[in-house]
Amino acid sequence: MVAYVIIPGIDGSDERHWQSRWEQAWGDAAVRIAPASWNRPELRDWVAAVQAAYDVAVARDGRTDGRVALVALVAHSLGCWAAAEWLARARPRAVPAFLVAPPDPRGPAFPGAAAPTFLGLSARPLPGPALVVASEDDPYADATASAALASGWRAPWRSVGAHGHLNSASGLGDWPVGRELLHTLVDP
């Protein structure tokens, strides 16, 4: 069994976003983070929210044999940075991270005024398996920048073509291509 921690970007993901659609399909196997600072993100708050959601996902497993289900992080946009920071701090064993459309903190479109505590971050090697998925025309990180982030995180990088920020405005619906990529990470 796989449990999923859903980590959206600023303001969360609306009902048309692929993350919300996946969360609904997964039911109790998915837990969305709930930071207090959705629209003015504070890194410490978001990292704590990832920990809290992870703890809920593990507790929902309900196994009696002492083993824990695989918990995977499914992050989008600024949520990728919250996931990466949580992984760096908590160093959990074998928690895969599916990182979609991470914004470049040094790029001109990064929401630094809304999320100043995220500005000084840099991609450091992650402690477990990860996959960075990006669009060729993402306004928050061009292909070169997102590939560099993947390299810093020591994660494979996959382009899914030109689909903007891979959000609701991209019109991805249930995003089956993304689901296939996620399964390569959690069901190798």
Side-chain angles (χ1 to χ4, degrees), residues 2-6 22-24 26-32 56-57 60:
V2 179
Y4 300 95
V5 173
I6 307 293
W22 292 5
E23 179 183 8
Q24 184 176 18
W26 290 329
D28 286 344
V31 181
R32 181 180 291 244
V56 169
R60 281 187 184 171

Side-chain angles (χ1 to χ4, degrees), residues 44-144:
R44 186 180 330 198
D45 176 39
W46 281 45
V47 170
V50 174
Q51 181 66 57
Y54 176 82
D55 292 343
V56 169
V58 169
R60 281 187 184 171
D61 181 32
R63 291 184 186 210
T64 57
D65 62 5
R67 297 182 313 151
V68 176
L70 175 66
V71 177
L73 307 181
V74 177
H76 177 258
S77 193
L78 198 65
C80 296
W81 286 104
E85 282 302 299
W86 178 77
L87 287 164
R89 294 175 188 190
R91 304 209 55 84
R93 288 186 47 205
V95 174
F98 187 66
L99 307 172
V100 178
D104 178 6
R106 287 154 189 75
F110 189 81
T117 58
F118 286 74
L119 280 172
L121 298 177
S122 60
R124 302 179 310 239
L126 298 175
L131 178 63
V132 175
V133 179
S135 169
E136 295 289 330
D137 62 349
D138 189 333
Y140 296 98
D142 63 26
T144 301

